[in-house]
Amino acid sequence: MQQSKLITMDEFTIMETRKFPQATGELSSLLRDIGLAGKLVNKQVRKAGLVDIIGEYGATNIQGETQQKLDVFANETLIGILKYSTDCAGIASEENDDHLAFEDSFSANSKYVVLFDPLDGSSNIDVNAPIGTIFSIYRRVSELGKPCTIDDFIQPGNRQMAAGYIIYGSSTMIVYATRLGVNGFTLEPSIGEFCLSHPNIKCPENGKIYSINQGNTSKCSEGMVSYLNYCMEPNKEEGRPFSHRYIGSMVADMHRTLLKGGIFIYPADKSSPKGKLRLQYECNPMAFIIEAAGGKATWGGGNIMDIQPTELHQRTPVFIGSKNMVNKVLEYVGA
Ligand code: AHM
Ligand code: MG
């Protein structure tokens, strides 16, 4: 259906906030800040192929500017914007060992903290494949008025207030979820605004695509190997064999899974007994988004978002996507 008017992300979040008379607008302003960081990262990502012309990481270009590696740039951009935001008490990033509490009085009085993976899938930069930023917003549990603490960052995923990702793909999009649902906004480059393009996203209950690094099969459990055989086995009624798609960039693989249905898997295996992907920066936000869209996310023995983290950079196995596909894989690998 043709939309009669462009709705920008800012307009949309304000409209959503109005559904809750008690809302203060802090969450929308935080989402706007993350969107702004995404636009700045996007500007750099779009120049990534020009590295031979504008200089390598650490090199100084003709204008005397030092070029930064994109993941470093993305991390510093997010931290810089959130630090000066009036609504963020602190951050934790996949790139930093420890959380960062912002100590000015605005920040100390803010009720939200943000966790992020600034540039996920960054090994894909060299080959011009999609990469992304993943973020997760929690209400802090520490005392307002004081700097936030580690406890604010090791909350289970089911306490997320919002989560989302920015995908730097053939176009740049931000997709975010609140408990009201999931919406996607595409960057209109000529006006520099994210515009509502994918309202009320629902993940199809069934799918025909499985996404996993199948090269690791020899390291997987027997249950996992049987499930992969099931995916490859012809069965006309069930539409098998399923298609296999794996970009190796979680944001890109999850974006397809969210829109088209399917399952994304990064299991525990012999080389990664706890899985590879990070609970707080990758799996919890994706689980929140997929569940808000009607899908499902598990680590094999329960809901991803019920895991009580004990440390900042915890890893977890993940099976996530269309509800019926996730239920099916659990028949093979469920604890
Ligand atoms: P990164 O945070 O170092 O970029 O690693 C995370 C990425 C995910 O985007 C992707 O799903 C996964 O690693 C791919 O791993 P592998 O190359 O082992 O298949
Ligand atoms: Mg990552």
Side-chain angles (χ1 to χ4, degrees), residues 208-265:
K208 291 191 165 47
I209 301 174
Y210 68 109
S211 190
I212 180 172
N213 186 339
Q214 206 157 345
N216 291 334
T217 307
S218 64
K219 299 187 243 168
C220 289
S221 68
E222 268 176 39
M224 195 62 233
V225 175
S226 310
Y227 175 72
L228 294 174
N229 287 333
Y230 157 86
C231 291
M232 293 185 284
E233 200 174 71
N235 179 315
K236 223 171 179 185
E237 259 171 43
E238 293 181 25
R240 287 185 282 133
F242 296 149
S243 293
H244 177 250
R245 300 270 183 276
Y246 191 67
I247 298 169
S249 175
M250 189 191 199
V251 174
D253 284 316
M254 280 307 303
H255 187 61
R256 181 197 57 247
T257 304
L258 178 67
L259 297 184
K260 297 206 154 172
I263 187 165
F264 173 85
I265 301 173

Side-chain angles (χ1 to χ4, degrees), residues 69-72 74-76 79 92-98 116-120 122 281 313:
K69 238 177 129 181
L70 273 177
D71 39 12
V72 177
N75 195 37
E76 289 184 359
I79 294 175
S93 161
E94 196 190 285
E95 294 282 331
N96 296 15
D97 291 342
D98 300 315
F116 52 82
D117 180 352
L119 209 59
D120 183 63
S122 48
Y281 309 110
H313 295 277

Side-chain angles (χ1 to χ4, degrees), residues 247-321:
I247 298 169
S249 175
M250 189 191 199
V251 174
D253 284 316
M254 280 307 303
H255 187 61
R256 181 197 57 247
T257 304
L258 178 67
L259 297 184
K260 297 206 154 172
I263 187 165
F264 173 85
I265 301 173
Y266 209 111
D269 64 25
K270 279 183 200 145
S271 2
S272 326
K274 294 185 173 160
K276 172 186 177 185
L277 298 179
R278 311 287 179 151
L279 174 62
Q280 286 106 308
Y281 309 110
E282 290 159 337
C283 299
N284 268 337
M286 289 301 182
F288 185 87
I289 298 164
I290 211 88
E291 290 204 0
K296 182 165 174 169
T298 170
W299 56 270
N303 192 314
I304 291 271
M305 292 192 285
D306 290 339
I307 300 173
Q308 171 62 58
T310 52
E311 48 167 328
L312 262 188
H313 295 277
Q314 195 159 324
R315 296 175 197 266
T316 177
V318 59
F319 305 83
I320 179 169

